[in-house]
PDB file of all heavy atoms in Angstrom:
ATOM      1  N   PRO C  77     166.329  38.628  52.313  1.00  0.00           N
ATOM      2  CA  PRO C  77     165.478  37.535  51.778  1.00  0.00           C
ATOM      3  C   PRO C  77     166.120  36.869  50.591  1.00  0.00           C
ATOM      4  O   PRO C  77     166.755  37.513  49.783  1.00  0.00           O
ATOM      5  CB  PRO C  77     164.200  38.267  51.395  1.00  0.00           C
ATOM      6  CG  PRO C  77     164.654  39.664  51.035  1.00  0.00           C
ATOM      7  CD  PRO C  77     165.816  39.969  51.934  1.00  0.00           C
ATOM      8  N   LEU C  78     165.911  35.591  50.431  1.00  0.00           N
ATOM      9  CA  LEU C  78     166.323  34.837  49.266  1.00  0.00           C
ATOM     10  C   LEU C  78     165.095  34.384  48.433  1.00  0.00           C
ATOM     11  O   LEU C  78     164.141  33.878  48.987  1.00  0.00           O
ATOM     12  CB  LEU C  78     167.152  33.585  49.641  1.00  0.00           C
ATOM     13  CG  LEU C  78     168.368  33.822  50.548  1.00  0.00           C
ATOM     14  CD1 LEU C  78     169.081  32.535  50.848  1.00  0.00           C
ATOM     15  CD2 LEU C  78     169.349  34.779  49.815  1.00  0.00           C
ATOM     16  N   LEU C  79     165.193  34.615  47.112  1.00  0.00           N
ATOM     17  CA  LEU C  79     163.990  34.419  46.296  1.00  0.00           C
ATOM     18  C   LEU C  79     163.928  33.020  45.692  1.00  0.00           C
ATOM     19  O   LEU C  79     162.938  32.637  45.127  1.00  0.00           O
ATOM     20  CB  LEU C  79     163.959  35.477  45.244  1.00  0.00           C
ATOM     21  CG  LEU C  79     163.905  36.947  45.775  1.00  0.00           C
ATOM     22  CD1 LEU C  79     163.826  37.887  44.588  1.00  0.00           C
ATOM     23  CD2 LEU C  79     162.721  37.157  46.690  1.00  0.00           C
ATOM     24  N   THR C  80     165.039  32.323  45.704  1.00  0.00           N
ATOM     25  CA  THR C  80     165.077  30.964  45.156  1.00  0.00           C
ATOM     26  C   THR C  80     165.697  29.992  46.114  1.00  0.00           C
ATOM     27  O   THR C  80     166.474  30.392  47.042  1.00  0.00           O
ATOM     28  CB  THR C  80     165.899  30.924  43.820  1.00  0.00           C
ATOM     29  OG1 THR C  80     167.239  31.340  44.075  1.00  0.00           O
ATOM     30  CG2 THR C  80     165.311  31.885  42.762  1.00  0.00           C
ATOM     31  N   GLY C  81     165.444  28.690  45.919  1.00  0.00           N
ATOM     32  CA  GLY C  81     166.044  27.674  46.803  1.00  0.00           C
ATOM     33  C   GLY C  81     165.207  27.417  48.025  1.00  0.00           C
ATOM     34  O   GLY C  81     164.167  28.030  48.277  1.00  0.00           O
ATOM     35  N   ASP C  82     165.693  26.414  48.810  1.00  0.00           N
ATOM     36  CA  ASP C  82     164.969  26.024  50.024  1.00  0.00           C
ATOM     37  C   ASP C  82     165.181  27.021  51.192  1.00  0.00           C
ATOM     38  O   ASP C  82     164.304  27.072  52.085  1.00  0.00           O
ATOM     39  CB  ASP C  82     165.441  24.669  50.495  1.00  0.00           C
ATOM     40  CG  ASP C  82     165.110  23.548  49.464  1.00  0.00           C
ATOM     41  OD1 ASP C  82     164.091  23.710  48.769  1.00  0.00           O
ATOM     42  OD2 ASP C  82     165.811  22.579  49.448  1.00  0.00           O
ATOM     43  N   VAL C  83     166.235  27.771  51.168  1.00  0.00           N
ATOM     44  CA  VAL C  83     166.544  28.725  52.209  1.00  0.00           C
ATOM     45  C   VAL C  83     165.814  30.043  51.818  1.00  0.00           C
ATOM     46  O   VAL C  83     166.076  30.558  50.662  1.00  0.00           O
ATOM     47  CB  VAL C  83     168.016  28.916  52.478  1.00  0.00           C
ATOM     48  CG1 VAL C  83     168.260  30.009  53.484  1.00  0.00           C
ATOM     49  CG2 VAL C  83     168.638  27.592  52.882  1.00  0.00           C
ATOM     50  N   THR C  84     165.069  30.629  52.720  1.00  0.00           N
ATOM     51  CA  THR C  84     164.258  31.825  52.344  1.00  0.00           C
ATOM     52  C   THR C  84     164.849  33.123  52.877  1.00  0.00           C
ATOM     53  O   THR C  84     164.453  34.168  52.366  1.00  0.00           O
ATOM     54  CB  THR C  84     162.854  31.678  52.896  1.00  0.00           C
ATOM     55  OG1 THR C  84     162.895  31.511  54.286  1.00  0.00           O
ATOM     56  CG2 THR C  84     162.155  30.445  52.300  1.00  0.00           C
ATOM     57  N   GLU C  85     165.751  33.040  53.817  1.00  0.00           N
ATOM     58  CA  GLU C  85     166.315  34.271  54.330  1.00  0.00           C
ATOM     59  C   GLU C  85     167.601  33.972  55.088  1.00  0.00           C
ATOM     60  O   GLU C  85     167.859  32.926  55.555  1.00  0.00           O
ATOM     61  CB  GLU C  85     165.319  34.952  55.306  1.00  0.00           C
ATOM     62  CG  GLU C  85     164.931  34.104  56.512  1.00  0.00           C
ATOM     63  CD  GLU C  85     163.846  34.653  57.335  1.00  0.00           C
ATOM     64  OE1 GLU C  85     163.613  35.897  57.278  1.00  0.00           O
ATOM     65  OE2 GLU C  85     163.175  33.901  58.046  1.00  0.00           O
ATOM     66  N   VAL C  86     168.472  35.036  55.099  1.00  0.00           N
ATOM     67  CA  VAL C  86     169.727  34.994  55.858  1.00  0.00           C
ATOM     68  C   VAL C  86     169.745  36.229  56.800  1.00  0.00           C
ATOM     69  O   VAL C  86     169.416  37.321  56.378  1.00  0.00           O
ATOM     70  CB  VAL C  86     170.939  35.067  54.912  1.00  0.00           C
ATOM     71  CG1 VAL C  86     172.221  35.180  55.691  1.00  0.00           C
ATOM     72  CG2 VAL C  86     170.974  33.848  54.005  1.00  0.00           C
ATOM     73  N   LEU C  87     170.106  36.006  58.007  1.00  0.00           N
ATOM     74  CA  LEU C  87     170.237  37.081  59.010  1.00  0.00           C
ATOM     75  C   LEU C  87     171.681  37.199  59.420  1.00  0.00           C
ATOM     76  O   LEU C  87     172.339  36.253  59.789  1.00  0.00           O
ATOM     77  CB  LEU C  87     169.379  36.790  60.217  1.00  0.00           C
ATOM     78  CG  LEU C  87     169.405  37.880  61.294  1.00  0.00           C
ATOM     79  CD1 LEU C  87     168.509  39.046  60.928  1.00  0.00           C
ATOM     80  CD2 LEU C  87     168.943  37.296  62.668  1.00  0.00           C
ATOM     81  N   LEU C  88     172.186  38.420  59.303  1.00  0.00           N
ATOM     82  CA  LEU C  88     173.485  38.738  59.884  1.00  0.00           C
ATOM     83  C   LEU C  88     173.296  39.255  61.296  1.00  0.00           C
ATOM     84  O   LEU C  88     172.463  40.193  61.495  1.00  0.00           O
ATOM     85  CB  LEU C  88     174.243  39.733  59.031  1.00  0.00           C
ATOM     86  CG  LEU C  88     174.449  39.366  57.543  1.00  0.00           C
ATOM     87  CD1 LEU C  88     175.215  40.527  56.866  1.00  0.00           C
ATOM     88  CD2 LEU C  88     175.227  38.087  57.421  1.00  0.00           C
ATOM     89  N   VAL C  89     174.019  38.772  62.226  1.00  0.00           N
ATOM     90  CA  VAL C  89     173.953  39.238  63.659  1.00  0.00           C
ATOM     91  C   VAL C  89     175.303  39.620  64.122  1.00  0.00           C
ATOM     92  O   VAL C  89     176.287  38.838  63.984  1.00  0.00           O
ATOM     93  CB  VAL C  89     173.361  38.088  64.555  1.00  0.00           C
ATOM     94  CG1 VAL C  89     173.425  38.509  65.995  1.00  0.00           C
ATOM     95  CG2 VAL C  89     171.953  37.758  64.190  1.00  0.00           C
ATOM     96  N   GLY C  90     175.450  40.842  64.653  1.00  0.00           N
ATOM     97  CA  GLY C  90     176.728  41.338  65.169  1.00  0.00           C
ATOM     98  C   GLY C  90     177.121  40.695  66.482  1.00  0.00           C
ATOM     99  O   GLY C  90     176.239  40.463  67.357  1.00  0.00           O
ATOM    100  N   ALA C  91     178.405  40.451  66.657  1.00  0.00           N
ATOM    101  CA  ALA C  91     178.898  39.921  67.922  1.00  0.00           C
ATOM    102  C   ALA C  91     180.026  40.735  68.451  1.00  0.00           C
ATOM    103  O   ALA C  91     180.751  40.258  69.376  1.00  0.00           O
ATOM    104  CB  ALA C  91     179.398  38.424  67.667  1.00  0.00           C
ATOM    105  N   GLY C  92     180.271  41.936  67.921  1.00  0.00           N
ATOM    106  CA  GLY C  92     181.273  42.789  68.460  1.00  0.00           C
ATOM    107  C   GLY C  92     182.620  42.125  68.417  1.00  0.00           C
ATOM    108  O   GLY C  92     183.009  41.506  67.435  1.00  0.00           O
TER     109      GLY C  92
END
Side-chain angles (χ1 to χ4, degrees):
L78 302 181
L79 302 180
T80 60
D82 294 333
V83 178
T84 59
E85 59 188 339
V86 174
L87 180 77
L88 302 179
V89 174

